[in-house]
Amino acid sequence: MAAQDIEHLTPSEAAAELERLAGEIARHRTLYENEAAPEIDDAAFDALVRENAALEARFPNLVRADSPSLKVGAPPSSQFAPVRHGVPMLSLDNAFDDDEVAEFTARVRRFLKLGADEPLAFTVEPKIDGLSANLRYEKGVLVQGATRGDGRTGEDVTVNLKTVKDIPHRLTGKGWPDLIEVRGEVFLDHEGFAAMNAAAEAAGTRTYVNPRNAASGSLRQIDPTITARRPLRFLAYAWGELSAPFAATQWEALELFKAWGLPVNPLSVRVDGADALAEQFAHLEERRPKLGFDIDGVVYKVDRLDWQQRLGFVGRLPRWAIAHKFAPEQARTILNDIEIQVGRTGALTPVAKLAPINVGGVVVQNATLHNADEIARKDVRLGDTVIVQRAGDVIPQIVEVVLDARPADSVPYAFPEICPCPLKTAVARELTAAGEETVVRRCTGELACPYQRVEHLKLFVSRKAFDIEGLGERQLSAFYEEGLVREPADIFKLARNEEALAVLREREGYGETSVRNLVAAIEARRAIALARFIFALGVRHVGETTAGLLARDFEEADRFLDACKRAAQAQPGRDYFDLAVLEGIGPVNLEALIAFGRNGPFEDPWTDAPLAEKIGQSIPRLSKPVRARLAEHFGDWTRFTEAVRAAADHNAGEAFLELSRGQGMGLVAAQSLATYFAEPDNAARVDRLRAELQVEPAEKPKSDTAVAGQTVVFTGALERMTRDEAKAQAERLGAKVASSVSKKTDLVVAGPGAGSKLKTAADLGVKVISEDEWLALTAGT
Ligand code: IVH
């Protein structure tokens, strides 16, 4: 059925067609997978799957419980299974001008000891700005697809990659090795990106700022039917593991890929000699705006594979290839308006509303303006002509104002003093803990502000928090307005709330399947890991990492909540903070200062001794630099003693200090949690949420291992595990992982290429071991 036919189907016709497709696809799958007796070829089978996906995209409420798009075994959890790359997926060095390209080609010649007139061929390939993927074919059948990840370990996104129509499920032709991993770029072209954003806008779900983010978001969907609806493309340009070599040159490899049904970029060429590179670069740069997809440069590769082999790698970058980057794309347009968006914590972000302008193929209408100070610094005014820039994965930016084109009657932009939210609160500049002004301006409505509440609900259901599929911005805003979901606990009450479900059906137009799916998605999250629970509270300064550390420290939700509530009653006052946030004053010095502030003596001891000396005489525990720092800050004895006495009067209680001493915590995060829980409404809201959930205790780090309690630093290349794996393992075994070597480091694990950290370790006499020794040390635990 063609796309235009799908447009004209009625819901009942569509339902009948979906039923037919579910039966057909299941039958062909069995014939192919279990009986090895296919009745139709891959292309015909793919056409059925695609038709099903297109229908589901048009009628999301009709997706069947037994839909073939759900059948492929979507992973149950939010994470994809890790895939270890047998051959690492590396990156490319960059050249930003002709000189750097000349250096590259000269280096190649030198390394290969080529005479000046010995021929040296290169391939020139557009560098598509998407994300790379690894496709593993065994006996010509696609058995696994993975993302690049950190280069050594990627994510298993087989099911999702299989929905990309450019990717053959079987290689055609002949001559492919029994095992071949084909690598290439997954991306969205401009047309696909625009269509996807238009659909998202119509559905009220989130739109993406650029094709690269959209492609990445689309590929990493938990639900492959969503990926299937995105017009992702794929172009092959490299390979990983092989059972046998299959080509002598890069060019031959690309030709073979084509013969096996793998798409390769038709714009790639082979050239002889380095002189031709600049010509090709100029040619592609000129065509760039009309290509229909984003390229951010051109890749030059030495064509002969035996030479590639000889050239090898410097660190993680091949010596045989380089990416010659283009300058970011720019265009001129008019700034029509500045919209103020209210974020989850009330921060106000100005967004430039531009007269729509095509910047290198993508229509840009919004650009970031960061904050009020940035607007003032650039003196951006309504009606100005501005230069907009779009580069790779960054949000479009305003580079500068074209002053020559400024209207004569323009006036400097005045940042609003009243928040655009329904509460119309006064806008306040945010202060640091020490009371200094920051660039951030906030709505002071906090939880009374519906904008902030909806933003918090969005965070709550997001991937890193409760990860609830089917609750997007549009649904949450609608539920909020209907009064169905005003706080997180309400989400879990939805399923039991017949009245709410009736509203979904009647007013929001949900079909039975959609209601069922939503309820199931919510129920699946009733049991939740402690770290996610903490992160999802959305407390300022408590991000994913801090939440993870808190979960490990407290292990159980109730212990954590209890500690926060006690800390809320033991918060220090402002005077304490003024002292605590002075640079260089650690917790130990602070304690000494507070002890002095409590008891004195405060009489000025020697009238003409320098202040630093007086401070040292009174509090001998303070180090020289700290005495100097305090003297510099306070200037005279009276000011110093008054500040310290005031801090002691407003000292933090033990419960607060306890919270602030946790790993990865500190005064700011502790203060943020304490302030949050000091607000009775917040505490009550958390309790209502807690009552709906089963919060799973965090795994306790081990204390009986060889490395428990030690501070470990990993440096250099690890060959048997990724950095993330090494870190996770060390932490599981009760060690602390640090990023730099200091006196506090107990152990340095060094791989090849380790540099300055190794030297520091030697200087400080810190023990250094190899990766293998580390594995032996931690084996069996
Ligand atoms: S070759 C060891 N060829 O650019 C070399 N990469 O900066 C492996 N890319 O991760 C990469 N087009 O995502 C290669 N024709 C091309 C490419 C290309 C785009 C991307 C790819 C890679 C990144 C490296």
Side-chain angles (χ1 to χ4, degrees):
M1 189 177 298
Q4 62 270 31
D5 296 332
I6 289 177
E7 283 309 314
H8 294 121
L9 285 186
T10 65
S12 64
E13 289 168 327
E17 182 65 3
L18 282 166
E19 183 179 5
R20 181 187 77 83
L21 286 167
E24 274 290 272
I25 292 171
R27 190 170 73 83
H28 289 302
R29 247 190 206 140
T30 314
L31 286 170
Y32 179 74
E33 284 166 14
N34 303 348
E35 296 164 33
E39 281 175 11
I40 55 175
D41 64 15
D42 279 5
F45 180 79
D46 283 350
L48 291 176
V49 172
R50 246 174 286 145
E51 192 201 328
N52 185 71
L55 267 169
E56 289 182 341
R58 168 93 172 75
F59 298 100
N61 293 344
L62 296 180
V63 174
R64 301 168 58 86
D66 67 344
S67 160
S69 54
L70 298 168
K71 265 271 160 61
V72 242
S77 79
S78 67
Q79 263 114 27
F80 296 100
V83 174
R84 186 95 179 136
H85 299 304
V87 175
M89 291 182 79
L90 301 171
S91 199
L92 292 171
D93 201 1
N94 294 321
F96 293 96
D97 56 33
D98 292 342
D99 287 349
E100 289 177 1
V101 174
E103 263 170 49
F104 159 72
T105 54
R107 197 161 57 230
V108 167
R109 276 198 179 275
R110 231 179 12 248
F111 199 94
L112 294 173
K113 302 197 170 63
L114 297 184
D117 34 58
E118 221 162 324
L120 170 60
F122 293 93
T123 61
V124 178
E125 306 170 19
K127 184 170 187 296
I128 296 188
D129 198 11
L131 64 153
S132 49
N134 186 68
L135 308 174
R136 188 178 175 94
Y137 289 91
E138 287 177 10
K139 301 213 181 320
V141 178
L142 176 60
V143 295
Q144 187 183 62
T147 60
R148 175 174 184 276
D150 63 3
R152 286 173 182 270
T153 308
E155 296 161 309
D156 187 336
V157 286
T158 312
V159 190
N160 298 23
L161 281 167
K162 280 187 172 173
T163 69
V164 176
K165 67 180 192 320
D166 290 340
I167 295 179
H169 293 194
R170 274 166 180 247
L171 298 179
T172 54
K174 53 183 181 333
W176 21 264
D178 269 0
L179 163 66
I180 178 168
E181 289 182 348
V182 175
R183 292 177 175 174
E185 207 76 352
V186 175
F187 65 102
L188 277 167
D189 58 28
H190 295 155
E191 201 185 336
F193 170 66
M196 188 180 133
N197 265 354
E201 205 148 299
T205 54
R206 90 173 255 220
T207 56
Y208 289 90
V209 290
N210 59 47
R212 211 202 88 86
N213 287 2
S216 169
S218 300
L219 186 60
R220 301 177 70 260
Q221 288 288 332
I222 304 300
D223 176 355
T225 61
I226 299 180
T227 312
R229 279 174 225 151
R230 309 278 169 82
L232 289 173
R233 296 179 54 183
F234 176 81
L235 288 171
Y237 51 68
W239 55 93
E241 254 187 279
L242 296 173
S243 54
F246 68 100
T249 63
Q250 168 74 11
W251 189 250
E252 190 193 349
L254 294 177
E255 292 285 311
L256 285 169
F257 280 175
K258 251 188 280 182
W260 300 337
L262 290 158
V264 302
N265 200 323
L267 298 165
S268 297
V269 292
R270 173 166 57 177
V271 299
D272 282 313
D275 296 343
L277 300 180
E279 200 180 303
Q280 291 301 327
F281 181 80
H283 178 64
L284 273 169
E285 189 164 43
E286 190 194 308
R287 298 188 59 181
R288 183 185 185 199
K290 288 165 254 142
L291 291 180
F293 50 84
D294 278 357
I295 62 176
D296 57 353
V298 181
V299 183
Y300 308 135
K301 296 177 185 166
V302 170
D303 194 33
R304 275 176 61 166
L305 300 185
D306 56 339
W307 284 358
Q308 285 193 8
Q309 184 101 34
R310 267 172 60 196
L311 285 157
F313 296 84
V314 208
R316 300 173 68 79
L317 303 174
R319 213 179 261 116
W320 45 265
I322 200 157
H324 189 176
K325 301 294 275 277
F326 295 130
E329 289 172 291
Q330 298 190 335
R332 255 175 180 238
T333 188
I334 306 285
L335 175 79
N336 286 331
D337 199 4
I338 293 178
E339 188 183 285
I340 307 292
Q341 294 182 349
V342 184
R344 174 175 59 82
T345 58
L348 303 183
T349 309
V351 176
K353 295 289 172 182
L354 306 165
I357 178 78
N358 190 316
V359 188
V362 169
V363 177
V364 171
Q365 311 191 49
N366 300 318
T368 172
L369 280 167
H370 303 288
N371 53 55
D373 291 12
E374 174 85 358
I375 299 178
R377 192 174 65 75
K378 290 187 176 154
D379 187 18
V380 177
R381 305 180 180 190
L382 300 188
D384 266 347
T385 297
V386 292
I387 307 282
V388 199
Q389 170 172 307
R390 195 174 69 83
D393 34 4
V394 301
I395 301 171
Q397 286 172 316
I398 290 186
V399 186
E400 60 181 1
V401 174
V402 183
L403 288 175
D404 292 348
R406 172 168 280 172
D409 58 351
S410 89
V411 287
Y413 177 74
F415 201 86
E417 282 164 19
I418 301 292
C419 181
C421 78
L423 298 178
K424 309 219 176 309
T425 61
V427 168
R429 237 180 201 275
E430 180 172 49
L431 305 179
T432 64
E436 286 147 12
E437 290 197 334
T438 70
V439 295
V440 180
R441 280 161 175 82
R442 274 181 205 285
C443 164
T444 47
E446 307 234 334
L447 281 159
C449 167
Y451 285 19
Q452 292 186 44
R453 282 191 163 219
V454 171
E455 289 300 317
H456 175 235
L457 288 168
K458 271 161 61 183
L459 170 98
F460 186 85
V461 301
S462 70
R463 221 182 138 99
K464 288 180 171 170
F466 272 65
D467 190 22
I468 300 176
E469 287 281 337
L471 275 184
E473 176 167 11
R474 188 180 66 116
Q475 288 86 355
L476 288 172
S477 298
F479 291 174
Y480 188 90
E481 267 154 39
E482 299 273 3
L484 295 176
V485 175
R486 287 279 158 111
E487 61 177 53
D490 295 340
I491 293 175
F492 292 93
K493 292 182 185 138
L494 266 184
R496 293 195 302 270
N497 184 341
E498 268 315 312
E499 192 195 339
L501 295 181
V503 172
L504 289 189
R505 289 187 198 100
E506 285 150 28
R507 260 177 280 175
E508 302 292 327
Y510 274 52
E512 265 327 299
T513 317
S514 310
V515 172
R516 241 197 340 264
N517 286 347
L518 179 60
V519 169
I522 294 170
E523 288 304 324
R525 294 292 181 260
R526 235 180 241 285
I528 194 84
L530 178 56
R532 281 178 183 264
F533 172 79
I534 296 175
F535 173 66
L537 297 179
V539 177
R540 234 194 285 169
H541 304 298
V542 181
E544 208 191 350
T545 313
T546 309
L549 293 169
L550 282 165
R552 286 184 38 181
D553 268 359
F554 287 98
E555 292 169 39
E556 280 171 20
D558 293 330
R559 282 191 51 208
F560 165 72
L561 295 175
D562 186 50
C564 291
K565 288 174 189 169
R566 283 188 297 114
Q569 302 310 315
Q571 284 187 77
R574 181 58 178 280
D575 295 313
Y576 176 90
F577 264 98
D578 286 345
L579 190 61
V581 299
L582 283 186
E583 213 185 302
I585 311 283
V588 178
N589 293 322
L590 187 61
E591 221 170 281
L593 283 163
I594 296 291
F596 170 73
R598 237 184 252 129
N599 305 315
F602 306 119
E603 306 81 54
D604 194 337
W606 310 273
T607 37
D608 39 292
L611 180 56
E613 217 167 281
K614 295 184 194 177
I615 295 176
Q617 290 290 342
S618 310
I619 320 171
R621 267 166 66 191
L622 298 180
S623 69
K624 278 238 170 79
V626 171
R627 296 173 195 180
R629 175 86 188 89
L630 290 166
E632 180 201 23
H633 185 79
F634 290 106
D636 68 49
W637 177 257
T638 314
R639 249 181 269 154
F640 168 68
T641 47
E642 271 170 10
V644 177
R645 291 170 79 171
D649 283 348
H650 297 98
N651 190 13
E654 190 45 40
F656 179 88
L657 292 174
E658 218 173 276
L659 187 63
S660 74
R661 279 190 214 113
Q663 254 204 58
M665 288 292 288
L667 286 180
V668 174
Q671 174 73 347
S672 185
L673 275 168
T675 318
Y676 181 88
F677 279 92
E679 179 63 55
D681 280 353
N682 288 343
R685 229 160 7 90
V686 174
D687 286 342
R688 285 192 291 273
L689 172 65
R690 171 82 188 89
E692 293 290 332
L693 304 172
Q694 223 179 301
V695 186
E696 290 155 1
E699 198 186 328
K700 191 179 168 166
K702 299 194 175 178
S703 58
D704 56 350
T705 69
V707 297
Q710 301 204 8
T711 300
V712 183
V713 173
F714 292 94
T715 180
L718 298 178
E719 288 166 333
R720 312 262 301 265
M721 51 191 171
T722 65
R723 273 297 161 91
D724 285 345
E725 284 166 1
K727 183 164 187 275
Q729 186 208 20
E731 286 174 350
R732 240 187 353 262
L733 299 178
K736 207 169 119 184
V737 179
S739 55
S740 61
V741 178
S742 72
K743 279 183 293 188
K744 290 188 197 148
T745 312
D746 296 299
L747 196 58
V748 171
V749 182
S756 64
K757 288 182 193 167
L758 209 50
K759 194 179 163 303
T760 316
D763 290 348
L764 295 172
V766 175
K767 185 170 173 193
V768 179
I769 62 172
S770 70
E771 185 180 4
D772 283 339
E773 284 169 316
W774 165 263
L775 290 170
L777 186 65
T778 55
T781 45

